[in-house]
Amino acid sequence: MATKDATLLDDSFRWIGPNTDPLGREDYLAAAKFFDLRAAFPDLEYRAHDFRIDEDDPLTVRFTTRTVGTMRGELRLRTDTVSPNGKRMRCPPGALFLIE
C-alpha cells in the first residue's frame, strides 16, 4: 500500500531486511518501484495473522505472514528478468513486527 501512497510512510521510516543495509523512506520507495512484486504476482497476498502485542514492549506488534501468489508477469531482479511461468508461490510463514 505504501508504495502506491508514500504519505502512508513517515519521514523517519526505516526498512530493515536481510542482506542489505537499512533503507530510508525514499530508498525503500525507489526499490519497491524497481522490484515490483505486484506486476509479477498480480494476485499476491501476504495473509497476515496472529497479531499480538509484545509482552515486554507494548509499542511493538508482532505478527505472522504467509505470502502466496501466481507468477503471471515478469519479475525484475538486480541483474536479470524472470519470465512469467504460471507457477503458484507459497512461502513459508514469516515472523514480522512493527514498532511505533
Side-chain angles (χ1 to χ4, degrees):
M1 249 189 184
T3 58
K4 302 291 182 204
D5 181 2
T7 64
L8 294 174
L9 297 178
D10 189 77
D11 289 340
S12 65
F13 172 85
R14 295 288 175 266
W15 183 85
I16 301 170
N19 306 319
T20 185
D21 291 331
L23 298 177
R25 180 177 178 261
E26 297 307 318
D27 288 336
Y28 171 79
L29 292 169
K33 283 183 182 177
F34 176 81
F35 186 72
D36 188 359
L37 282 177
R38 289 267 176 220
F41 298 90
D43 61 345
L44 187 68
E45 294 179 38
Y46 290 101
R47 296 188 178 175
H49 60 283
D50 191 24
F51 289 85
R52 59 219 179 268
I53 303 294
D54 187 299
E55 293 177 6
D56 297 325
D57 182 358
L59 297 179
T60 299
V61 177
R62 299 189 181 278
F63 59 100
T64 305
T65 64
R66 181 182 288 272
T67 306
V68 297
T70 308
M71 190 176 186
R72 302 215 185 278
E74 288 187 338
L75 178 61
R76 271 192 310 188
L77 304 173
R78 282 188 188 162
T79 60
D80 199 6
T81 300
V82 180
S83 296
N85 58 27
K87 290 184 180 179
R88 183 93 171 139
M89 166 185 69
R90 184 171 184 259
C91 296
L96 301 168
F97 64 93
L98 301 171
I99 302 173
E100 181 176 61

